[in-house]
Amino acid sequence: MTERQPAPEPKGAPVPKATRTRERSDRGLRNVGTGSERPEVKVRRERDRPWLMRTYAGHSTAEASNELYRRNLAKGQTGLSVAFDLPTQTGYDPDHVLARGEVGRVGVPVAHLGDMRRLFQDIPLEQMNTSMTINATAMWLLAMYQVVAEEQGADVTGLQGTTQNDIVKEYLSRGTHVFPPGPSLRLTTDMIAYTVSHIPKWNPINICSYHLQEAGATPVQEISYAMSTAIAVLDAVRDSGQVPDERFGDVVARISFFVNAGVRFIEEMCKMRAFGRIWDQVTRERYGIENAKQRRFRYGVQVNSLGLTEAQPENNVQRIVLEMLAVTLSKDARARAVQLPAWNEALGLPRPWDQQWSLRIQQVLAHESDLLEYEDIFAGSHVVEAKVDALVAECLAEIGRIQEMGGAMAAVESGYLKSQLVSSHAERRARIEAGEEKIVGVNCYESTEPNPLTADLDTAIMTVDPANEARVVAALHRWRDDRDEGRAQEALSVLKKTAAGAENLMAATLECVRAGVTTGEWSWALRDVFGEFRAPTGVSSAPLAVAAEPGTPLATVRAKVRRTAEELGSGRLRLLVGKPGLDGHSNGAEQIAVRARDAGFEVVYQGIRLTPEQIVSAAVAEDVHCVGLSILSGSHAELVPDVLARLRRTGAEDVPVVVGGIIPSADATALRAAGVAAVFTPKDFGITEIIGRIVDEIRKANQLDPLEVSA
């Protein structure tokens, strides 16, 4: 067994012998000759325990991820943070049509109990603190984790860790939702009630504002939407009657948060202080929690991954450090767990060495600096207090507005929360494009020396073997063939009956795990009862974010759009924005759709999670002039050629296809060779310019002369 168990009180590196001797000698000489004065004695301050140090990791297979976890633990990582692939997150088995190209890409595939066993082989779960980033299928993954722990001989009442399990932010930003809001809240409620009684040290939900910031949330929106979600969850648990009133403090005590730390250091640090103050007020006043320990604001953090840049990616290291300081420097608002992205995440999948670098950043701060030796260094700052007071006041007002709408779930279903985020994101992108918000290496200080870190881009990231998916699918089929089919079907039947009633779903889910049911089968059984949900896109209600006065770039592009439509005799140019596969990060697609609309396009955008067949059918039915595909999950090599082939088969091969996402240079070259008209990556930050280039590709495809127009 190679993993290193976290020590109860980390002490840092030992002091070399020569240094210790010199310190003793200095103390002995100080004040010599005074006769009456006592020698000054240096007292080393007692250090606080460091936060949990994690690396968000998982890829390819359970076996490969297990090896990675054991290596990371051996390097000093003190907690596990499991990244699941998109089929696992959205409740599909690896052989489902929507899983094609997604298996093992952004995380580890876990289709059944056998996969979970292999994922944690030789890792004693009783001694781990494990975070699992899983939401719609959180109950399923926790049940598998519990069964594996039981098989290891662990006492499950001692298991420690967190399931993210925040479905609201999935509707708003990350897109791995499955069921409608009501049934999703029931799954969350049942999990919380179960863990309080059976796994009391587990955090059954991580209210997650992290992705809200990436979707455009301001600090006020990030706090307000997360707190509104927490209120909805706590109200649902209280009203379910599953937890006695005298145990409700235990529920509140196990609610944790997962936040984003951006590069605006002061604002982010004040945001965390405001978070804690509001949480204390809400839990005391709304739920009557008198125990201050139960009201403590407990949070983990990952710093802003989507804020990392493809241009001059070496700058990401200092961004990561600055963002980490915002959630560690202030003792009164310090994170309980920290995981840092790698410097090259805007380029592709980080390698183990890149993840090690991020872990070392944490270790240097915790063990070499004196950060953990002092009380809160911002206490009493009038600047900090004024900023926190302002944030608290604005957030309480916004939380009040959401409560007047009926709470977070009602605000999701009405589209209010999503439209607010899309608007905020559009405004921020406009500030970046105008140069009002500066990003070093992107819209200022763009000249650079050759970068040795990216001299060979194709080796600067890790790639997943394309043949991996076939092996995972074959293993899934063997699992199904070898299980007791009668027991599996009976377990699924009981699950459906329980879902149609009002009993807690955890017991039926645990039996499904033990019976060999798969992730997709569990999810489809619940889909049959609960249905599925397509969240509002927020595009149609987003206001104009970029000025279009004469002489502006948008006015120029509008003129190009109008002239091209006139020459084609089509009334208006039509652009289909498509999200093939399971990638739910729709922020970029939404911003393209909004800006194309403002430039005069008729935009067809149906949201996330579409098959290539559905996208092509919509493109033909709407007679679009261009198809734009957005993929951040790495499945572009599989899905984009499929879209191209289907367009050719329908006779629409002249419709240009453009692609945007995190696409390595070699893949971009291959896509263009396959027939893609243009490839856009994170370095192409000017959305108005992208829309102009789309118009150029439409003109080229229709054999129109290049067009230069004045606004």
Side-chain angles (χ1 to χ4, degrees), residues 15 17 35 51 58 63 73 91 95 129 178 279 286 330 372 416 418 456 470 512 565 580 584 592 634 650 652 690:
V15 180
K17 182 177 180 181
W51 52 90
E63 292 86 350
L73 288 168
D95 58 353
N129 191 304
V178 177
W279 180 243
R286 188 179 182 93
S330 174
L372 297 176
Y416 169 77
K418 183 65 174 179
D456 183 356
C512 283
I592 291 290
T650 62
I690 290 173

Side-chain angles (χ1 to χ4, degrees), residues 456-601:
D456 183 356
L457 274 175
D458 296 329
T459 62
I461 56 173
M462 192 172 79
T463 57
V464 175
D465 182 359
N468 176 70
E469 185 167 312
R471 291 193 291 267
V472 172
V473 169
L476 169 68
H477 293 166
R478 287 194 298 272
W479 174 268
R480 289 200 193 115
D481 290 341
D482 293 343
R483 72 185 178 184
D484 182 339
E485 190 63 26
R487 183 182 178 186
Q489 294 306 319
E490 175 61 23
L492 287 168
S493 177
V494 171
L495 178 68
K496 286 186 180 182
K497 290 176 183 175
T498 307
E503 289 182 46
N504 190 300
L505 281 158
M506 196 68 188
T509 295
L510 282 164
E511 173 55 22
C512 283
V513 170
R514 296 177 177 121
V517 167
T518 66
T519 298
E521 291 168 337
W522 179 85
S523 300
W524 280 107
L526 295 183
R527 282 180 171 99
D528 288 345
V529 179
F530 296 152
E532 292 189 83
F533 185 72
R534 292 195 70 80
T537 67
V539 168
S540 60
S541 56
L544 180 70
V546 177
E549 286 84 5
T552 62
L554 184 58
T556 301
V557 173
R558 275 185 174 180
K560 289 177 70 171
V561 170
R562 185 173 58 252
R563 280 279 302 276
T564 303
E566 290 170 356
E567 291 179 43
L568 293 175
S570 59
R572 295 176 67 190
L573 291 187
R574 290 178 294 280
L575 170 67
L576 183 145
V577 177
K579 291 283 298 175
L582 297 177
D583 170 34
H585 287 92
S586 58
N587 307 330
E590 290 157 1
Q591 294 307 309
I592 291 290
V594 168
R595 194 68 56 84
R597 177 205 67 186
D598 295 344
F601 274 91

Side-chain angles (χ1 to χ4, degrees), residues 581-650:
L582 297 177
D583 170 34
H585 287 92
S586 58
N587 307 330
E590 290 157 1
Q591 294 307 309
I592 291 290
V594 168
R595 194 68 56 84
R597 177 205 67 186
D598 295 344
F601 274 91
E602 180 182 333
V603 177
V604 179
Y605 177 57
Q606 299 172 322
I608 62 172
R609 215 174 299 169
L610 300 171
T611 65
E613 182 180 12
Q614 290 171 319
I615 288 172
V616 171
S617 294
V620 172
E622 299 287 347
D623 192 24
V624 300
H625 296 94
C626 182
V627 172
L629 304 177
S630 171
I631 307 176
L632 280 77
S633 65
S635 60
H636 48 265
E638 185 81 25
L639 300 181
V640 173
D642 192 3
V643 171
L644 291 169
R646 291 177 184 276
L647 283 170
R648 293 187 189 105
R649 289 199 293 271
T650 62

Side-chain angles (χ1 to χ4, degrees), residues 635-709:
S635 60
H636 48 265
E638 185 81 25
L639 300 181
V640 173
D642 192 3
V643 171
L644 291 169
R646 291 177 184 276
L647 283 170
R648 293 187 189 105
R649 289 199 293 271
T650 62
E653 64 272 9
D654 292 336
V655 175
V657 174
V658 300
V659 181
I662 298 176
I663 302 173
S665 58
D667 289 1
T669 300
L671 290 176
R672 284 189 287 265
V676 169
V679 176
F680 302 102
T681 65
K683 70 177 183 296
D684 301 298
F685 72 94
I687 300 181
T688 299
E689 180 184 345
I690 290 173
I691 303 302
R693 289 178 61 186
I694 289 173
V695 180
D696 294 339
E697 294 301 335
I698 291 172
R699 295 187 66 83
K700 187 187 302 181
N702 287 276
Q703 299 180 333
L704 299 178
D705 292 334
L707 182 63
E708 295 294 334
V709 299

Side-chain angles (χ1 to χ4, degrees), residues 129-206:
N129 191 304
T130 305
S131 170
M132 294 191 284
T133 301
I134 199 76
N135 298 281
T137 55
M139 177 180 284
W140 176 246
L141 271 298
L142 178 61
M144 283 197 279
Y145 189 87
Q146 176 182 325
V147 172
V148 169
E150 290 170 347
E151 292 178 346
Q152 291 183 356
D155 177 0
V156 298
T157 63
L159 293 179
Q160 296 186 68
T162 302
T163 32
Q164 194 169 98
N165 201 20
D166 175 2
I167 202 64
V168 172
K169 68 96 172 47
E170 297 300 324
Y171 299 132
L172 300 177
S173 56
R174 194 163 169 268
T176 67
H177 55 273
V178 177
F179 313 111
S184 293
L185 190 56
R186 175 186 170 185
L187 286 168
T188 300
T189 299
D190 285 359
M191 259 189 72
I192 292 172
Y194 176 83
T195 55
V196 165
S197 298
H198 296 86
I199 318 179
K201 295 183 179 180
W202 193 266
N203 300 320
I205 187 168
N206 222 204

